[in-house]
Amino acid sequence: MGIGMSWRGWNGDSPVFDFINTLSPIATSKHLDDVQNIQLFESSDLTHVSSIFTSPQVNSQKGSILSIRNASAKLSQEGLYPYCHMAQIGTPSYIKPSGPTTISSTNSSTDHSVSKTYQATSDNASIVPSILPQHIQLGSDTSGSDKKQDTAGKTDHTTDQEHTESSSICFDHSGVDRREESTSRINVQERNMAKISNDELAAHNPGNLISHCDSGVVTKTGLIFEKAQLGDRTPKNSDVMRSNSMPINDINLENSRRKLFHEPTDCNAQSIVDDGHIYCTSRGKRIATNYVSGVPPFSSQSQFIPNHQLCGTLEVPSDCMAIYHNAVSQHLCGLHRRSLFNEKVRDPTMRVHSGSNLGNPSCTTRHRSISDDNYLKPLGSPVCTIPGIGLHLNVSVPISEDNNEATEDPLNKMTCPVNPTLLISDHNDKTTTPTNVGDSGQENPKRKRRKCQHGDVKSCKRCSCKKSKCLKLYCECFAAKVYCSEFCSCGGCLNNKSHEETVLSTRIRIESRNPLAFAPKVIRTCGPGQEFGEDSNTTTASSHHKRGCNCKKSCCLKKYCECFQSGVGCSMSCRCESCKNSFGIRKGAQLLASEEIERVDQTKEARPKEEQHEVGKHRAFGKTRGVPSTENLFTTPSNESRRSLALVTSECSKPSLSPTRTSSQLCSPTGTDVALSPFGSYTEMLLEDAPSGMQQQSGKNDAQQPDSSCTASVKVMSPSKKRVSPLHTGSSLSPMGRSGRKLVLKSIPSFPSLTGDINSELQPPVT
DNA sequence: GAGTTTGAAACT
DNA sequence: CAGTTTCAAACTC
């Protein structure tokens, strides 16, 4: 786009208009230096700016400074701000993206009534004076390269503070005080805190957990929700949170991180071994990523923020959060982990006043800012949160209702600073000091850790590895894919930026051995899809430990037990002994003894495989369908059978991934879905968990699937509690094989044999 | 804070 | 793949 191009007098027929239309709506990786700063000024008489923003092609985040001043609330009401959602009506906002900006689309429908001027400007500081009490700023990265952006201008004076401010998406309540520096600083802090809260919200979202729900479905829900919001034109603040969850600055950081971990920028193309991303890979995530990358989210309309909403932007009603939780979380899916690396530039925009501002008593959702160096514990809705395991990224901390801390100002609870290593690595010196660091940054690790523990902020824990050099999964930091920080008490640590290569290679090696090594340890099941043997009424958050524990002496009553530590009940994937997990014992454990006895008796009864399969199938189906427990109808299944059934059950409990699937098909192990055996590999299982889009990853990983803990939730156990491939269970260990009774539910579609034809079913379809 | 216990991870 | 070793967190005193 030309510099200094005037839009005044433009009309859709003009050649310029055509030219602009030919411009790529998606800015490419143009270097910042090449960025042309563009300012968009709207005259005070703007009345139909909305049309300008209707195009989703505005790539505001890249490379240009887009200063937008809107004067009409009507625009916002129309919800047509793809990127200017941050812009408060009548308030100036500027977008200072880090990359080139293509504004081609903005003019596509340029409203002639709008008199505005696009100016290429080198003056980043050029901001339309605020005339309204509120303003929102969408800043961008001000990393070193960014500084160069303003080569022609005076803006090289980017100060730390400016950086802080500009690099963050800011919702500022201060209004007219905005220009006061003192206030600004405060705002910056608040914003940062808000961002943290936002990240926590994101991290807290179910996406952190491996959901048994089709992500796509969930995402769709989010979309629906958005549309609903658009429908009533009362967008919730959560929209803001979602849409702005990743400040532009984060983009760069994310890119850096991805470089570090060799992650493709396209989330959909990410390796399946990329834990959080994998499980969170969903449309929502992609949307978020796309948004980050400059492509407007699917629903740009939902991103506008009316004044009245903005007024309370920083005070996100918890109920709103709760309602939108799913959608938001899905959208933020995959971003929460990024936040670990982006702490420094945490978007201060979203400040969630937990507690105090939650006027709605019905709201039980609380968000507590838990600053964990570079790792934030998910927080929020008790419905979805579960205690986390150590530092793992994919766990969340439940916040008890009576936990005062949950309502405290995060700032007061920030005892764990941002991982300085990351700060250094990502921005080398960039000065933006995490506002949440506070004085704690000077605390010694132990003190800090203890403090965090008392604060119930497990996430504050840092590793204290001595021999592993923080390059093994023993190291919580490493396991969490974060660098160790100075707050770790580790020795000989190589898990830092300076040993990036080593970290990366080690990580790859570990993942090659176990692709789920870095995977979330807890998966969340939606609805009735709980595993067999899991006490549904005791397992919190409908979650269960993905891999399952193997406790022997702790009886799953101590934190040695990952399940217990995660706050979830033991599941069939566990191999624990004497399970007494207070969150839900493994039913199999209870029945194990009796099952063994019974099994001996049952083995005496030879039954045709098909009958046995019928039993098994119906058993699973009935369970899945909510049919009164078939436990009474069948002999108690063996442990193995439970597990194998769990596979089916798990399948059935999930929303259909494909519209072509019928309910019966969904549960039916027919076709390739099941022919490969229920999760013949963990990858398959993941694919079931993950959005359909992730299935693309399957081929690549199918081969890697050692026993892997990944199969955890569907893991099949041998009587000796040794892990057994699910494939085997179908044939020889089928519980139904031992169950002598046959019950054929004619009304229920018959399942293809799980065992009898195991050979054929498990074999790749031969055509 | 030191020592012990525990179970996961890593190794053979 | 099973058994062993190593490791660090959790736990106890």
Side-chain angles (χ1 to χ4, degrees):
Chain A
M1 172 175 291
I3 297 176
M5 183 178 296
S6 173
W7 284 36
R8 192 181 297 274
W10 270 22
N11 60 57
D13 297 331
S14 103
V16 175
F17 178 80
D18 293 336
F19 168 73
I20 291 175
N21 282 336
T22 61
L23 295 175
S24 171
I26 300 173
T28 55
S29 59
K30 200 174 182 178
H31 193 275
L32 294 174
D33 291 344
D34 300 331
V35 171
Q36 296 175 352
N37 298 324
I38 300 172
Q39 267 195 320
L40 170 63
F41 290 95
E42 296 180 13
S43 63
S44 59
D45 61 346
L46 296 179
T47 56
H48 297 289
V49 183
S50 60
S51 60
I52 295 175
F53 299 99
T54 55
S55 172
Q57 297 175 336
V58 177
N59 186 355
S60 60
Q61 84 205 40
K62 291 201 172 185
S64 70
I65 295 174
L66 185 60
S67 184
I68 301 170
R69 177 182 172 189
N70 295 325
S72 172
K74 176 182 178 180
L75 299 178
S76 64
Q77 291 178 348
E78 295 179 3
L80 298 176
Y81 289 68
Y83 282 97
C84 298
H85 54 277
M86 298 301 300
Q88 177 67 8
I89 299 306
T91 65
S93 64
Y94 68 89
I95 300 170
K96 185 184 173 186
S98 58
T101 297
T102 300
I103 312 179
S104 60
S105 64
T106 60
N107 67 335
S108 61
S109 59
T110 303
D111 192 313
H112 308 320
S113 66
V114 176
S115 174
K116 61 175 65 181
T117 300
Y118 264 74
Q119 295 181 347
T121 179
S122 59
D123 183 1
N124 280 347
S126 190
I127 301 170
V128 177
S130 174
I131 58 175
L132 292 181
Q134 297 134 353
H135 76 277
I136 298 171
Q137 297 176 347
L138 173 60
S140 71
D141 180 75
T142 55
S143 59
S145 60
D146 239 6
K147 291 179 180 179
K148 299 175 183 177
Q149 175 178 349
D150 305 326
T151 55
K154 53 189 176 183
T155 340
D156 215 340
H157 53 64
T158 304
T159 63
D160 293 348
Q161 183 186 342
E162 285 176 348
H163 165 72
T164 300
E165 226 178 290
S166 62
S167 65
S168 303
I169 299 172
C170 307
F171 287 171
D172 191 346
H173 281 247
S174 62
V176 294
D177 295 335
R178 160 179 178 274
R179 282 167 286 184
E180 297 179 5
E181 183 175 352
S182 59
T183 300
S184 178
R185 290 179 182 276
I186 295 172
N187 289 337
V188 169
Q189 287 192 340
E190 291 181 352
R191 293 167 192 159
N192 286 339
M193 291 307 306
K195 175 63 169 58
I196 291 167
S197 298
N198 185 39
D199 284 347
E200 287 169 355
L201 174 65
H204 153 63
N205 89 54
N208 286 335
L209 307 178
I210 300 173
S211 174
H212 280 189
C213 294
D214 178 8
S215 323
V217 174
V218 176
T219 300
K220 187 175 293 182
T221 302
L223 287 168
I224 293 171
F225 184 84
E226 284 193 358
K227 289 183 177 180
Q229 284 197 326
L230 289 174
D232 60 18
R233 297 195 173 186
T234 56
K236 302 297 185 290
N237 289 321
S238 52
D239 275 335
V240 177
M241 298 183 66
R242 173 182 54 75
S243 59
N244 300 300
S245 59
M246 178 177 273
I248 292 172
N249 221 358
D250 282 352
I251 299 169
N252 289 342
L253 290 175
E254 170 62 7
N255 289 338
S256 299
R257 187 189 68 78
R258 286 179 173 175
K259 287 178 181 179
L260 170 62
F261 294 106
H262 292 191
E263 294 175 1
T265 55
D266 181 356
C267 56
N268 284 336
Q270 283 181 323
S271 168
I272 195 165
V273 300
D274 185 10
D275 64 305
H277 291 100
I278 275 303
Y279 304 113
C280 293
T281 297
S282 67
R283 235 162 292 159
K285 175 177 179 288
R286 179 175 55 197
I287 287 165
T289 301
N290 285 343
Y291 167 63
V292 167
S293 61
V295 177
F298 54 91
S299 177
S300 61
Q301 293 180 348
S302 65
Q303 298 178 6
F304 79 91
I305 304 169
N307 279 336
H308 69 279
Q309 289 290 337
L310 287 173
C311 291
T313 297
L314 300 184
E315 296 181 354
V316 180
S318 58
D319 54 340
C320 175
M321 304 273 279
I323 292 171
Y324 201 64
H325 178 77
N326 250 358
V328 172
S329 352
Q330 291 299 324
H331 290 299
L332 293 175
C333 196
L335 295 179
H336 37 78
R337 187 159 69 85
R338 295 173 192 158
S339 66
L340 299 179
F341 302 85
N342 300 335
E343 185 91 5
K344 172 190 169 195
V345 290
R346 200 160 292 293
D347 182 355
T349 309
M350 321 309 178
R351 171 161 193 167
V352 180
H353 292 269
S354 52
S356 62
N357 65 330
L358 303 181
N360 188 351
S362 64
C363 182
T364 58
T365 301
R366 295 184 183 182
H367 298 280
R368 177 182 56 187
S369 292
I370 299 176
S371 172
D372 169 42
D373 310 348
N374 45 3
Y375 170 62
L376 293 177
K377 284 286 188 183
L379 299 171
S381 172
V383 173
C384 298
T385 55
I386 55 175
I389 299 174
L391 188 63
H392 202 282
L393 295 169
N394 301 290
V395 295
S396 56
V397 177
I399 301 173
S400 73
E401 288 300 315
D402 55 353
N403 187 351
N404 293 333
E405 293 171 5
T407 59
E408 291 185 11
D409 186 325
L411 282 170
N412 296 332
K413 283 299 172 183
M414 289 302 173
T415 58
C416 299
V418 172
N419 185 344
T421 302
L422 294 178
L423 298 181
I424 292 172
S425 62
D426 284 330
H427 272 263
N428 295 320
D429 64 339
K430 207 35 179 166
T431 47
T432 304
T433 300
T435 56
N436 61 330
V437 171
D439 296 334
S440 61
Q442 304 304 321
E443 297 180 36
N444 72 55
K446 287 207 169 186
R447 178 186 170 193
K448 183 169 129 52
R449 176 174 177 175
R450 185 153 299 173
K451 187 173 182 177
C452 293
Q453 287 177 335
H454 289 167
D456 195 23
V457 185
K458 297 177 183 178
S459 61
C460 289
K461 290 185 299 181
R462 304 303 306 188
C463 71
S464 58
C465 306
K466 296 294 184 296
K467 298 180 179 179
S468 68
K469 299 178 181 179
C470 299
L471 290 179
K472 294 187 177 180
L473 291 175
Y474 296 128
C475 176
E476 291 188 8
C477 298
F478 181 79
K481 290 183 175 181
V482 300
Y483 288 137
C484 291
S485 71
E486 62 180 271
F487 305 102
C488 296
S489 57
C490 48
C493 178
L494 297 179
N495 184 29
N496 50 50
K497 177 69 175 181
S498 60
H499 296 86
E500 177 179 345
E501 297 287 329
T502 302
V503 172
L504 178 61
S505 61
T506 303
R507 180 168 171 251
I508 292 172
R509 177 172 54 82
I510 292 174
E511 288 185 330
S512 66
R513 185 168 51 214
N514 176 14
L516 289 183
F518 298 91
K521 293 183 177 180
V522 176
I523 59 178
R524 177 175 174 272
T525 56
C526 298
Q530 295 207 338
E531 283 191 17
F532 280 48
E534 187 171 4
D535 273 350
S536 60
N537 59 342
T538 54
T539 299
T540 60
S542 297
S543 302
H544 61 267
H545 200 225
K546 180 125 188 109
R547 291 185 283 190
C549 64
N550 191 30
C551 303
K552 298 293 186 297
K553 298 179 180 180
S554 68
C555 298
C556 302
L557 285 175
K558 296 186 177 182
K559 295 181 76 174
Y560 296 125
C561 174
E562 288 190 357
C563 297
F564 181 85
Q565 190 179 49
S566 300
V568 301
C570 289
S571 63
M572 295 309 297
S573 37
C574 297
R575 288 92 57 200
C576 51
E577 296 177 355
S578 303
C579 178
K580 296 177 182 178
N581 190 334
S582 60
F583 293 99
I585 66 174
R586 182 170 59 94
K587 187 180 292 182
Q590 294 176 312
L591 301 175
L592 189 61
S594 61
E595 288 174 357
E596 287 296 322
I597 297 173
E598 191 171 356
R599 187 175 56 182
V600 172
D601 295 336
Q602 292 172 355
T603 51
K604 297 176 181 178
E605 305 177 29
R607 294 285 183 182
K609 284 185 176 180
E610 287 189 4
E611 290 185 4
Q612 297 167 3
H613 293 179
E614 284 292 316
V615 175
K617 287 181 290 184
H618 293 307
R619 180 188 189 81
F621 185 84
K623 194 114 182 174
T624 301
R625 288 296 165 195
V627 173
S629 175
T630 53
E631 291 285 339
N632 299 331
L633 301 177
F634 302 93
T635 57
T636 303
S638 65
N639 213 27
E640 309 91 272
S641 69
R642 290 175 183 277
R643 288 177 169 81
S644 67
L645 289 174
L647 302 178
V648 178
T649 303
S650 177
E651 276 285 299
C652 297
S653 64
K654 291 179 290 185
S656 174
L657 292 173
S658 170
T660 59
R661 275 177 161 178
T662 64
S663 59
S664 61
Q665 287 173 325
L666 183 64
C667 297
S668 173
T670 56
T672 55
D673 286 349
V674 184
L676 295 174
S677 94
F679 307 121
S681 67
Y682 70 85
T683 299
E684 294 168 14
M685 180 186 70
L686 289 178
L687 292 176
E688 291 297 328
D689 286 329
S692 56
M694 285 184 52
Q695 297 187 9
Q696 300 171 355
Q697 304 286 339
S698 61
K700 161 181 171 186
N701 296 282
D702 279 348
Q704 321 179 320
Q705 167 277 308
D707 86 282
S708 128
S709 39
C710 25
T711 54
S713 62
V714 294
K715 202 169 293 172
V716 178
M717 308 298 294
S718 69
S720 60
K721 295 197 172 189
K722 295 294 182 181
R723 299 183 188 186
V724 177
S725 170
L727 294 174
H728 300 159
T729 46
S731 60
S732 61
L733 299 177
S734 172
M736 303 320 153
R738 301 188 180 93
S739 176
R741 287 166 238 171
K742 173 183 178 180
L743 175 63
V744 178
L745 303 179
K746 298 297 183 181
S747 61
I748 299 175
S750 176
F751 282 32
S753 175
L754 284 173
T755 58
D757 300 332
I758 190 70
N759 292 336
S760 62
E761 289 187 0
L762 294 178
Q763 298 298 329
V766 178
T767 56

